[in-house]
Structure formats: C-alpha cells, structure tokens
Amino acid sequence: MDLRALWFMLLGVLLAGYAVLDGFDLGVGILHLGARDDRERRIFLNSIGPLWDGNEVWLVTFGGALFAAFPEAYATAFSAFYLAFMLLLFALIFRAVSLEFRGKRDSAAWRGFWDASFFGASLAAALLFGVAVGDSMLGIPIGADHEFAGTFFGLLRPYALLVGALNVSLLALHGSLYLQLKTEGELQERLRRWSWQAFGVFLTLYLATTLVTLARVPRALVNFERMPWLWAVVAASVLALANIPRSLHLRRPGWAFLSSAAAIASLVALFGAALYPNLIVSSLDPAWSLTVANAASSQKTLGIMALIAALGLPFVLSYTAVIYWVFRGKVELGKLSY
C-alpha cells in the first residue's frame, strides 16, 4: 500500500479514537450544569475523572503524527487555525483546572465558578472542533505558497458554525449515554430522557448539515463515485445512528453507547473520504491545496513511522483497555473523589 495513503488512514484512526473517547467526557462537561445539586455534579466529574487525561493522548498522538507524516500540512494548519488552536488549548487546560480545583474548597461560590468554567470550556472545545471540520470541508484561503490568506473571523462561516453545533449536539448525546452507564436510580432515568432530547436535536442538525453539505460541497461525493464501496460506510453510519433510539427504547444504554461510538467513528471516516486526497483544501484555487502527494514526508520517514506505529499501537490499545476495565461500573463517591 502507498505509505502516504496508509498514513492518511492512520491519522483518521487516531482522530476517530480521540473523537469517541474524549467525545463522551466533553459531552459530560456540556451536560454538567444540568445536574441538580453538588452530589450529582460530583458523580458527573468522577465518571470521567480517571479517564479524561488518557483520552487526550489520542489528540496529542494525532498532532505528532500529522507533524511527522505531513509537515507542510501541519505548518499550514497552524498558520490558518493558530488563534483557534490557542482557544482550544485554553479550553482543554481550563477543563483540567476546573476538575482539579473545584473540590479544593467547600464553598458554593467557588464550586459554582468552576462548574461554569468546566461547562464553558467543554462547550467551546466541542464547538471549535466542529467549526474546524466545517472549514476543512468548505476549504480555506490558502495561497500558492501554502500560506493562509484569511482571518480568524473569516473562518466563522454559517456552514462551519452549523457543523460546530452538530458536533456539540453529538457529543452531548454521547456524554448522556455514557453517564447512563455510570449512574443508577432516578438520576439514570433523568439522563435517559436527556438522551432522547439530545438525539432529537442531533437528528435535526444532522439532516440539515447533510442537505447543506450536498448543496455546498459537491466534491465531497467524488470519491464515492470512484470507490462505490464507500457507500458501505454510509450504510454503517445510518444503521449505527438508527440503533441509538432503538436501544434507548429497549433500555439498553450499553448498546446505545456503542452505537453512538460507531456513529462517531463512521462520521470521521466519511469526513476523510470526502477530503481525500486533500489534507487542506484551498478555496482560492484547488491546485494550491495540500494533498497527501505534495505535503508528505519522504518514503523512508513514512516507512520508519509505520514500523514505530506497528510496534507502539498494541501497547496503546492494551493500556486503554486495561484502564477502562479497572474503572468500569457505577460511580461511588468517597473522601478522595472530586
């Protein structure tokens, strides 16, 4: 297989892993202010407490792999999204600080401030990720020198904001399904109702985004004409989404959560299929786009990276599986809990 295509797919795997794993803890943050009292908010925080930082390793690995495999695309992405990346970094750091600081004082005002910070940072991160996907689909003003020729506010286009809202609703749904696995009793029942509401909002935005994408980004279907087997990914995505309300109706939150994870992974795959072979599309001239051909490192570099990935990925997957097995089950609050 072409090593450039292999690394395009491996980047997709890393991005999907991050979206699925960190997606639910961002979703928990988006839902955080819906908890009725301090005990429920502590349950929310402790449901992700042992996991959230390990989930972000996937994003760090994605950034490192992009830098090594496609350095020119990495440089152009930072020139285009520099302020957005700084805002994202600030949001992710503020989430972590909120988690750690909230329980340091037994004061309603203190805890209320960090609760609002945790919610705002989670919402901002989810929105920024979605806006970046929307801008990537539309293309951004990249010149012949592969330098960004636009502004930060020029990236906040209606379509990009629509995709941002879609991402917020999807992660809120994903987070509510995860919380059902970690709670019980009246709180779990209330979370089940939230899942239905989140699914309704997500489905509305999903249909709207699909229609707008078909109208605004016709090149998104080019690869589907060349490689008809990609329609199987579309079918898998639709089936995964359809199984969420079915599982909720049957009161099987585990299946609903797995379906939500599969839907997120399939949507990342469809995003990659719509982009390939482009990494960053130029809205000024398609010939100035960065592709897997003109932005890749040497074949030798990609080969060495593939060897390292083959050796390291099993350890990452094993570590992740062990962590999730150790911290399985319902949340129980104790003295050392958040």
Side-chain angles (χ1 to χ4, degrees), residues 33 37-38 41 102-116:
L33 293 185
D37 53 30
D38 185 67
R41 289 179 182 172
R102 182 185 185 278
K104 299 301 181 187
R105 290 183 61 186
D106 191 15
S107 157
W110 173 268
R111 295 193 172 191
F113 171 77
W114 292 114
D115 284 336

Side-chain angles (χ1 to χ4, degrees), residues 179-196:
L179 282 171
Q180 285 190 56
L181 300 176
K182 309 297 287 185
T183 57
E184 52 194 346
E186 190 272 338
L187 177 57
Q188 186 188 43
E189 187 61 29
R190 185 147 35 91
L191 285 163
R192 182 170 173 272
R193 293 197 294 272
W194 290 6
S195 295
W196 277 111

